[in-house]
Amino acid sequence: MILCRKIDEVKNILKNLKKQCKSVGFVPTMGYIHEGHISLVKKALEENDVVIASIFVNPLQFGPNEDFAKYPRNEKRDLAILDSNNVDIVFLPENDEMYGNNFLTKIRVDKLSDVLCGKSRPGHFDGVCTVLSKLFHIIEPDRAYFGLKDYQQYIIVKKMVSDLNFNIKIVGLPIVRDDDGLAISSRNIYLSPENRKTALCLNKSFNIVENLLKNGILEPSIIKNKIKEYILGFKNTRVDYIEIVDTETLEPLNEFKENFLLALAVFIGNTRLIDNRIFSLKSYNC
Amino acid sequence: MILCRKIDEVKNILKNLKKQCKSVGFVPTMGYIHEGHISLVKKALEENDVVIASIFVNPLQFGPNEDFAKYPRNEKRDLAILDSNNVDIVFLPENDEMYGNNFLTKIRVDKLSDVLCGKSRPGHFDGVCTVLSKLFHIIEPDRAYFGLKDYQQYIIVKKMVSDLNFNIKIVGLPIVRDDDGLAISSRNIYLSPENRKTALCLNKSFNIVENLLKNGILEPSIIKNKIKEYILGFKNTRVDYIEIVDTETLEPLNEFKENFLLALAVFIGNTRLIDNRIFSLKSYNC
């Protein structure tokens, strides 16, 4: 596995590979590699000649009161895991390498960035789009891989890529869960053993939705209230949002469509967790 | 000369050329081709194997009260001129081809976009950056050519390209002037014969600066006032701005540096014209 810390270095290596007509799959990460990332790596290995992962905790996508400073980092461990999973190249730049030169540019996807996590984290998706645009230009991959746990991110990145005519295919892959159902996230490490148990309420609230749908309850507002009630029944929980939205426009639905996204953001203690699922009414004979 | 109106069409043609390792020079225009554009084409032909020009009057970069609807267009004439100047490919998309699909994305270069023309034309440079980002991804040129009449645009585009790691060299070329000194612009066609004469006051104000510098007048505020007085001495003139700024940051200078940019925007009748010159104090033995 090749490790590059400099932009010019990684560009040169990729230039040579592209001259040999190798296809390039890209897995952008903020490190603290987990099974979710590995599922992206595996798919990228299937679909491309070369796989490159980036590790960069992007300050632009953290708000002033968020966890940029304490976001978990473990370079040595990350590199060992990526290596043993057959990643070919890791790009691991310093902050200065990315934003050193009096950085002034910002990319924004309107509307889609203003709802759900974008509402609670103003500027977050601008930061995501901006850093990805840089990484896409540096790496020029054929395909880039994203986990659907960050469903809104996936939709926004797809929209940016389509609007700006990036020559990259964006691939979204299913949420990877621990055996007990908790969506895997680097932030799970913040949870105390007790809160770790409580955190299952995010995933379990999907069962509540299933039951309501099966019983013919088709009112988004009722469903959202039932989930809220359920989650707030646990100690140390605070709801950031519970939303039922269109799977493409992310606009709130007051009436159900055939498919809808249920998206949650819940604080368990001080840790903000997100989860989501797409429901198809057909599956419930609605 | 090949004419493409569709994104996929032009991408396919360029893909084949790039497979043959041809270098590509790009001249983005809003059409109504003039000597300024041709100077860019000529340089592009010198430096690249293939030259592509685009013609697209970009609605995103016009304000609601600006001249988008009446901006001069003459497709047939433009194509004839570009053809006779040995352009290889012209990309001439419809508005729908560029922004058809519920377009939501915006690129902004902070600070640099808020001064000079950006102050008078809010959103203008966001529109410029956004459309150029699209065109850069569609065409993937090695070099892109810009006239220094739009000096601020040149600086902003260079900054966007550097910040976002676009793999493109931005080339800025000198202002082309009519024999009497008027900077060539598609908008000059709006001028009545009388206003055409008056318009020379923009270019002539540079002579005033020269004389002041030669006489040791090194106060930006005095120089700006002298120019303002001079321009307002003509009928039908209205000053949008007269600024003396740093050539890279575009920040106003209260004291001279070795080099500075004098930039003007002046309404002659209803037509807003811009011009600029970089002065080097050394040349005036200051």
Side-chain angles (χ1 to χ4, degrees), chain B residues 184-237:
Chain B
I184 292 182
S185 160
S186 304
R187 288 189 173 96
N188 291 351
I189 196 171
Y190 297 150
L191 297 166
S192 69
E194 193 191 351
N195 284 345
R196 174 72 183 65
K197 273 181 212 156
T198 302
L200 296 177
C201 68
L202 279 90
N203 179 50
K204 282 187 178 155
S205 55
F206 301 140
N207 302 336
I208 295 177
V209 181
E210 283 195 333
N211 283 328
L212 290 167
L213 292 176
K214 277 178 196 161
N215 288 307
I217 309 287
L218 297 177
E219 282 272 326
S221 59
I222 294 177
I223 291 180
K224 290 194 287 182
N225 279 331
K226 287 279 180 197
I227 298 173
K228 191 170 177 184
E229 217 171 82
Y230 170 71
I231 288 175
L232 293 178
F234 293 85
K235 257 209 298 199
N236 289 328
T237 56

Side-chain angles (χ1 to χ4, degrees), chain A residues 7 11 97-98 101-112 130 133-135 137-138 140 159-160 162-167 249, chain B residues 7 11 97-98 101-112 130 133-135 137-138 140 159-160 162-167 249:
Chain A
I7 291 170
K11 277 170 76 164
E97 182 71 2
M98 292 293 275
N101 187 24
N102 181 32
F103 197 86
L104 296 176
T105 305
K106 186 164 78 184
I107 302 191
R108 169 163 187 75
V109 178
D110 279 338
K111 288 187 184 168
L112 296 174
T130 305
S133 171
K134 285 176 70 68
L135 291 167
H137 290 141
I138 293 166
E140 296 189 324
K159 185 63 178 152
M160 171 183 82
S162 146
D163 275 0
L164 297 183
N165 306 93
F166 275 94
N167 299 301
T249 66
Chain B
I7 292 170
K11 276 171 77 166
E97 182 72 1
M98 293 293 275
N101 187 24
N102 180 33
F103 196 87
L104 296 176
T105 306
K106 188 163 76 184
I107 302 191
R108 171 163 186 73
V109 178
D110 279 338
K111 288 187 184 168
L112 295 174
T130 304
S133 171
K134 284 175 71 68
L135 291 167
H137 290 140
I138 293 166
E140 295 190 325
K159 185 64 178 150
M160 171 184 82
S162 146
D163 275 0
L164 297 183
N165 306 93
F166 275 95
N167 300 301
T249 66

